[in-house]
């Protein structure tokens, strides 16, 4: 929780967020490559696993962009003079994208409880072309699919009601809405320590998606114990335990 600790110096908070993100990127990229090598045949014949792997790759590359932008910042150059731009919201859109992929993955792969439910949700998702989140509801022994907005996915994903405003906050700094633009214009010109928060939230999403993805593989969850140090496992589990219900 150090990136949220306002008792630390601003640069220290961001540095910690970047260091923790480094660990999560290492783990995610290893999982991606491990699956390509060890599960090549299964990837070619199992459409759902292949799509799940696509989810993980897209989220990882998006997180990498977030990491790079957080670490290097933004610089303007005018007439040979460089200006370091302070923008604590610069990676919000990337974190929002990672969050949306995590939510969709959950409703496709984790929320359904039976093979029949998974088939219904999968077909509905394909038909709707990812326009909405989907969940399955039992009615008098039958099955129907309902839509769930991304803003409401927190009810299924997160431990605390405190996360209810997460998606709203991310979206506010991605869309041209009045409140978001007013906050952007009047943000502090100095680093207050919040620059690493979007990256840290993205790391939490990435860790949670890795866990959900590994559950799709035979003995997949053993990968974490077998290939990563105790310290890396602690970071991984820490991301998950502070963010997602299960």
């Amino acid at each position: 929780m150090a990136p949220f600790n306002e008792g630390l110096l601003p640069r220290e908070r961001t540095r910690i967020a970047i260091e923790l993100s480094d660990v999560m990127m290492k783990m995610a990229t290893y999982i991606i490559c491990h699956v390509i090598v060890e599960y090549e045949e299964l990837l070619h014949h199992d459409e759902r696993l292949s799509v799940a792997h696509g989810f993980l790759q897209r989220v990882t590359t998006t997180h990498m962009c977030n990491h790079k932008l957080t670490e290097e910042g933004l610089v303007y150059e005018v007439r040979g003079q460089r200006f370091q731009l302070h923008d604590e919201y610069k990676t919000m859109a990337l974190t929002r994208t990672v969050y949306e992929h995590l939510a969709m993955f959950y409703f496709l792969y984790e929320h359904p409880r039976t093979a029949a439910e998974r088939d219904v949700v999968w077909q509905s998702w394909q038909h709707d072309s990812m326009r909405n989140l989907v969940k399955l509801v039992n009615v008098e022994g039958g099955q129907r699919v309902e839509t769930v907005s991304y803003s409401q996915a927190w009810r299924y994903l997160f431990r605390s009601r405190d996360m209810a405003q997460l998606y709203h906050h991310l979206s506010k700094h991605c869309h041209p809405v009045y409140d978001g633009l007013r906050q952007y214009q009047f943000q502090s010109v100095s680093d207050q320590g919040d620059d690493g928060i979007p990256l840290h939230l993205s790391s939490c999403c990435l860790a949670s998606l890795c866990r959900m993805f590994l559950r799709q593989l035979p003995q997949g969850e053993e990968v974490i114990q077998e290939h990563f140090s105790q310290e890396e496992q602690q970071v991984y589990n820490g991301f998950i335990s502070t963010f997602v219900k299960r």
Side-chain angles (χ1 to χ4, degrees):
M1 298 302 293
F4 297 98
N5 185 354
E6 295 182 356
L8 296 175
L9 293 174
R11 289 186 180 180
E12 183 73 1
R13 291 172 62 191
T14 301
R15 181 188 64 79
I16 292 170
I18 291 171
E19 289 180 354
L20 293 173
S21 171
D22 267 325
V23 175
M24 199 57 245
M25 285 195 302
K26 172 187 174 182
M27 297 180 78
T29 52
Y30 180 90
I31 292 168
I32 289 169
C33 296
H34 174 78
V35 170
I36 291 173
V37 173
E38 299 296 333
Y39 295 88
E40 181 181 10
E41 191 70 16
L42 195 56
L43 282 175
H44 280 95
H45 292 93
D46 187 331
E47 180 191 38
R48 294 185 194 184
L49 179 61
S50 178
V51 170
H53 195 243
F55 265 92
L56 181 57
Q57 290 188 71
R58 180 180 284 179
V59 167
T60 301
T61 56
T62 302
H63 180 81
M64 286 177 168
C65 294
N66 193 329
H67 183 101
K68 185 176 178 64
L69 188 54
T70 302
E71 186 172 34
E72 298 181 7
L74 294 169
V75 177
Y76 289 158
E77 186 168 334
V78 180
R79 297 177 182 175
Q81 186 174 0
R82 293 166 61 85
F83 296 86
Q84 183 78 29
L85 174 68
H86 174 69
D87 176 7
E88 67 183 78
Y89 308 119
K90 59 184 174 292
T91 58
M92 287 291 193
L94 296 169
T95 301
R96 177 174 174 265
T97 298
V98 169
Y99 166 89
E100 289 184 352
H101 279 70
L102 172 66
M104 182 62 80
F105 194 98
Y106 169 80
F107 281 99
L108 284 173
Y109 292 92
E110 287 259 317
H111 189 69
R113 293 293 179 259
T114 67
E117 289 180 356
R118 285 192 293 273
D119 286 341
V120 172
V121 172
W122 184 265
Q123 291 166 18
S124 177
W125 174 64
Q126 287 180 315
H127 180 265
D128 289 340
S129 190
M130 294 175 57
R131 286 180 299 173
N132 301 298
L133 292 170
V134 290
K135 71 171 182 176
L136 194 124
V137 179
N138 250 322
V139 178
E140 298 178 354
Q143 295 172 344
R144 64 188 174 91
V145 172
E146 291 187 346
T147 60
V148 180
S149 68
Y150 284 105
S151 63
Q152 294 300 308
W154 68 269
R155 298 177 184 273
Y156 301 87
L157 292 172
F158 306 131
R159 292 177 177 273
S160 170
R161 190 178 179 84
D162 293 340
M163 302 299 287
Q165 297 301 312
L166 172 62
Y167 188 72
H168 173 72
H169 181 66
L170 295 174
S171 296
K172 180 168 61 179
H173 295 291
C174 301
H175 297 302
V177 296
Y178 173 81
D179 191 35
L181 288 167
R182 289 286 292 177
Q183 286 191 27
Y184 181 91
Q185 189 64 7
F186 291 102
Q187 66 180 306
S188 173
V189 295
S190 61
D191 181 4
Q192 300 296 305
D194 295 328
D195 296 53
I197 296 300
L199 176 65
H200 191 69
L201 293 172
S202 181
S203 294
C204 291
C205 286
L206 179 57
S208 301
L209 185 64
C210 283
R211 183 185 62 169
M212 292 182 192
F213 173 77
L214 288 172
R215 287 176 174 172
Q216 310 307 311
L217 299 171
Q219 293 83 47
E221 293 181 278
E222 296 176 5
V223 171
I224 299 299
Q225 289 76 35
E226 291 177 359
H227 298 282
F228 297 103
S229 69
Q230 288 297 318
E231 291 79 9
E232 290 165 338
Q233 292 181 48
Q234 185 178 7
V235 171
Y236 174 78
N237 291 325
F239 280 136
I240 294 170
S241 65
T242 58
F243 203 64
V244 176
K245 284 182 180 176
R246 298 181 301 162

